[in-house]
Amino acid sequence: MIQTSVTDTELLEEVIPKLKATELFLHDTLRVRIDGSRDPREKLRLRNLKTEFELEISMIRMNLKHLFRRYSDQLMGAIEDSKGERGAPLVLDEHEAVAIERIRRLYQRSQGLQTDPA
């Protein structure tokens, strides 16, 4: 079941770092594996995987921009909060909820691929 809300803390401290880690995997680890592959089939598989990740990330970023615009004041307040009183809920629309879920799934996939020796 897809989450219909997320807290500002969860977004800033869990979701966004997972997106950044997935992007790092895409741009560093996966690129190195593509460049180092001698098997044409494996190289094609990895290139297709890279394209799939890039498309997913583009969709995710588009929906996160929408979420950030809607909650910009609240998120800025959470970032600037020196008292640590964060944790306010952000109600997600359907597209934002799917984007958050996809971030988590892509992160899990990227973690699995990093431990895969192939």
Side-chain angles (χ1 to χ4, degrees):
M1 185 169 182
I2 294 180
Q3 249 181 285
T4 58
S5 68
V6 66
T7 65
D8 53 13
T9 304
E10 189 178 5
L11 181 66
L12 296 171
E13 294 179 2
E14 179 205 336
V15 175
I16 299 305
K18 283 182 177 179
L19 177 60
K20 291 290 187 189
T22 302
E23 289 174 325
L24 185 65
F25 161 76
L26 178 66
H27 294 295
D28 291 345
T29 307
L30 196 52
R31 184 184 49 78
V32 167
R33 286 180 66 179
I34 291 169
D35 293 345
S37 178
R38 303 248 189 261
D39 179 2
R41 286 178 287 169
E42 179 64 6
K43 193 172 268 213
L44 178 61
R45 183 187 78 81
L46 291 171
R47 282 185 181 143
N48 288 339
L49 184 63
K50 184 176 182 282
T51 299
E52 178 187 338
F53 269 67
E54 288 170 342
L55 290 171
E56 283 282 336
I57 288 172
S58 293
M59 184 282 307
I60 288 166
R61 287 196 157 279
M62 181 180 65
N63 285 297
L64 284 180
K65 280 182 187 179
H66 183 257
L67 178 64
F68 293 154
R69 272 194 299 270
R70 289 192 319 119
Y71 287 104
S72 62
D73 291 341
Q74 186 173 336
L75 291 170
M76 286 306 298
I79 290 169
E80 296 169 353
D81 183 13
S82 62
K83 298 176 191 167
E85 296 177 6
R86 294 168 30 189
L90 310 175
V91 177
L92 306 172
D93 71 19
E94 179 183 347
H95 301 290
E96 295 162 349
V98 169
I100 299 291
E101 181 62 28
R102 286 183 174 173
I103 290 170
R104 291 180 172 131
R105 286 184 189 165
L106 279 179
Y107 177 77
Q108 288 175 338
R109 282 184 66 198
S110 70
Q111 294 298 297
L113 288 165
Q114 288 181 62
T115 59
D116 181 13

